[in-house]
mmCIF file of all heavy atoms in Angstrom:
data_model
loop_
_atom_site.group_PDB
_atom_site.id
_atom_site.type_symbol
_atom_site.label_atom_id
_atom_site.label_comp_id
_atom_site.label_asym_id
_atom_site.label_seq_id
_atom_site.Cartn_x
_atom_site.Cartn_y
_atom_site.Cartn_z
ATOM 1 N N GLY A 86 -12.452 43.799 6.783
ATOM 2 C CA GLY A 86 -13.132 44.547 7.832
ATOM 3 C C GLY A 86 -12.133 45.133 8.798
ATOM 4 O O GLY A 86 -10.952 44.789 8.807
ATOM 5 N N PHE A 99 -5.210 28.344 -7.794
ATOM 6 C CA PHE A 99 -5.924 28.587 -9.038
ATOM 7 C C PHE A 99 -6.841 27.429 -9.408
ATOM 8 O O PHE A 99 -6.538 26.265 -9.167
ATOM 9 C CB PHE A 99 -4.926 28.820 -10.171
ATOM 10 C CG PHE A 99 -5.561 28.951 -11.523
ATOM 11 C CD1 PHE A 99 -6.176 30.131 -11.895
ATOM 12 C CD2 PHE A 99 -5.560 27.883 -12.416
ATOM 13 C CE1 PHE A 99 -6.767 30.267 -13.132
ATOM 14 C CE2 PHE A 99 -6.150 28.009 -13.662
ATOM 15 C CZ PHE A 99 -6.768 29.202 -14.026
ATOM 16 N N ILE A 124 -0.999 17.801 8.559
ATOM 17 C CA ILE A 124 -0.674 18.816 9.550
ATOM 18 C C ILE A 124 -1.399 18.539 10.858
ATOM 19 O O ILE A 124 -0.944 18.940 11.937
ATOM 20 C CB ILE A 124 -1.024 20.230 9.013
ATOM 21 C CG1 ILE A 124 -0.581 21.332 9.996
ATOM 22 C CG2 ILE A 124 -2.516 20.346 8.758
ATOM 23 C CD1 ILE A 124 0.888 21.422 10.207
ATOM 24 N N CYS A 148 -9.587 29.751 -6.815
ATOM 25 C CA CYS A 148 -9.569 31.126 -7.296
ATOM 26 C C CYS A 148 -9.351 31.146 -8.806
ATOM 27 O O CYS A 148 -8.370 30.582 -9.297
ATOM 28 C CB CYS A 148 -8.464 31.906 -6.601
ATOM 29 S SG CYS A 148 -8.285 33.604 -7.160
ATOM 30 N N GLY A 163 -5.617 37.061 11.966
ATOM 31 C CA GLY A 163 -4.852 38.047 12.715
ATOM 32 C C GLY A 163 -4.244 37.435 13.962
ATOM 33 O O GLY A 163 -4.910 36.735 14.711
ATOM 34 N N PHE A 164 -2.979 37.707 14.189
ATOM 35 C CA PHE A 164 -2.283 37.101 15.327
ATOM 36 C C PHE A 164 -2.844 37.578 16.660
ATOM 37 O O PHE A 164 -2.879 36.836 17.627
ATOM 38 C CB PHE A 164 -0.794 37.427 15.248
ATOM 39 C CG PHE A 164 0.009 36.331 14.630
ATOM 40 C CD1 PHE A 164 -0.185 35.991 13.300
ATOM 41 C CD2 PHE A 164 0.932 35.637 15.367
ATOM 42 C CE1 PHE A 164 0.556 34.981 12.726
ATOM 43 C CE2 PHE A 164 1.676 34.616 14.797
ATOM 44 C CZ PHE A 164 1.485 34.286 13.469
ATOM 45 N N GLU A 197 0.482 50.896 19.051
ATOM 46 C CA GLU A 197 0.590 50.600 20.481
ATOM 47 C C GLU A 197 1.519 49.411 20.669
ATOM 48 O O GLU A 197 1.081 48.265 20.648
ATOM 49 C CB GLU A 197 -0.786 50.300 21.080
ATOM 50 C CG GLU A 197 -1.796 51.433 20.891
ATOM 51 C CD GLU A 197 -2.553 51.291 19.579
ATOM 52 O OE1 GLU A 197 -2.194 50.388 18.810
ATOM 53 O OE2 GLU A 197 -3.477 52.065 19.351
ATOM 54 N N LEU A 205 4.599 40.846 18.115
ATOM 55 C CA LEU A 205 5.890 41.192 17.524
ATOM 56 C C LEU A 205 6.906 40.078 17.753
ATOM 57 O O LEU A 205 7.744 39.812 16.895
ATOM 58 C CB LEU A 205 6.404 42.500 18.119
ATOM 59 C CG LEU A 205 5.637 43.768 17.709
ATOM 60 C CD1 LEU A 205 6.131 44.957 18.497
ATOM 61 C CD2 LEU A 205 5.759 44.018 16.224
ATOM 62 N N GLN A 245 9.493 51.439 13.496
ATOM 63 C CA GLN A 245 10.878 50.993 13.339
ATOM 64 C C GLN A 245 11.547 50.777 14.694
ATOM 65 O O GLN A 245 12.306 49.821 14.871
ATOM 66 C CB GLN A 245 11.654 52.006 12.497
ATOM 67 C CG GLN A 245 11.252 52.004 11.025
ATOM 68 C CD GLN A 245 11.976 53.068 10.220
ATOM 69 O OE1 GLN A 245 12.316 54.122 10.754
ATOM 70 N NE2 GLN A 245 12.188 52.805 8.945
ATOM 71 N N LYS A 282 5.215 56.974 -3.143
ATOM 72 C CA LYS A 282 5.861 56.007 -2.251
ATOM 73 C C LYS A 282 5.141 54.662 -2.299
ATOM 74 O O LYS A 282 5.772 53.594 -2.355
ATOM 75 C CB LYS A 282 5.874 56.559 -0.825
ATOM 76 C CG LYS A 282 6.406 55.584 0.228
ATOM 77 C CD LYS A 282 7.842 55.170 -0.052
ATOM 78 C CE LYS A 282 8.368 54.271 1.058
ATOM 79 N NZ LYS A 282 9.706 53.713 0.728
ATOM 80 N N ASP A 284 3.219 53.382 -4.739
ATOM 81 C CA ASP A 284 3.413 52.707 -6.024
ATOM 82 C C ASP A 284 4.804 52.109 -6.137
ATOM 83 O O ASP A 284 4.985 51.007 -6.673
ATOM 84 C CB ASP A 284 3.173 53.694 -7.176
ATOM 85 C CG ASP A 284 1.723 54.139 -7.251
ATOM 86 O OD1 ASP A 284 0.863 53.474 -6.644
ATOM 87 O OD2 ASP A 284 1.455 55.163 -7.914
ATOM 88 N N GLU A 292 7.123 42.363 -7.541
ATOM 89 C CA GLU A 292 8.277 41.728 -8.182
ATOM 90 C C GLU A 292 8.807 40.584 -7.325
ATOM 91 O O GLU A 292 9.220 39.547 -7.853
ATOM 92 C CB GLU A 292 9.370 42.773 -8.436
ATOM 93 C CG GLU A 292 9.040 43.723 -9.576
ATOM 94 C CD GLU A 292 10.117 44.777 -9.777
ATOM 95 O OE1 GLU A 292 11.060 44.837 -8.934
ATOM 96 O OE2 GLU A 292 10.041 45.542 -10.755
ATOM 97 N N ILE A 425 18.920 -6.546 23.020
ATOM 98 C CA ILE A 425 19.669 -6.099 24.185
ATOM 99 C C ILE A 425 20.885 -6.982 24.434
ATOM 100 O O ILE A 425 21.882 -6.556 25.011
ATOM 101 C CB ILE A 425 18.752 -6.077 25.431
ATOM 102 C CG1 ILE A 425 19.444 -5.357 26.594
ATOM 103 C CG2 ILE A 425 18.369 -7.494 25.836
ATOM 104 C CD1 ILE A 425 19.627 -3.906 26.365
ATOM 105 N N VAL A 486 19.518 24.353 -20.515
ATOM 106 C CA VAL A 486 19.304 25.425 -21.478
ATOM 107 C C VAL A 486 17.835 25.807 -21.552
ATOM 108 O O VAL A 486 17.485 26.973 -21.733
ATOM 109 C CB VAL A 486 19.812 24.989 -22.867
ATOM 110 C CG1 VAL A 486 19.574 26.083 -23.879
ATOM 111 C CG2 VAL A 486 21.292 24.647 -22.792
#
Side-chain angles (χ1 to χ4, degrees):
F99 175 78
I124 185 64
C148 177
F164 263 65
E197 303 89 354
L205 290 173
Q245 289 177 329
K282 175 60 176 173
D284 293 343
E292 287 178 353
I425 191 68
V486 179

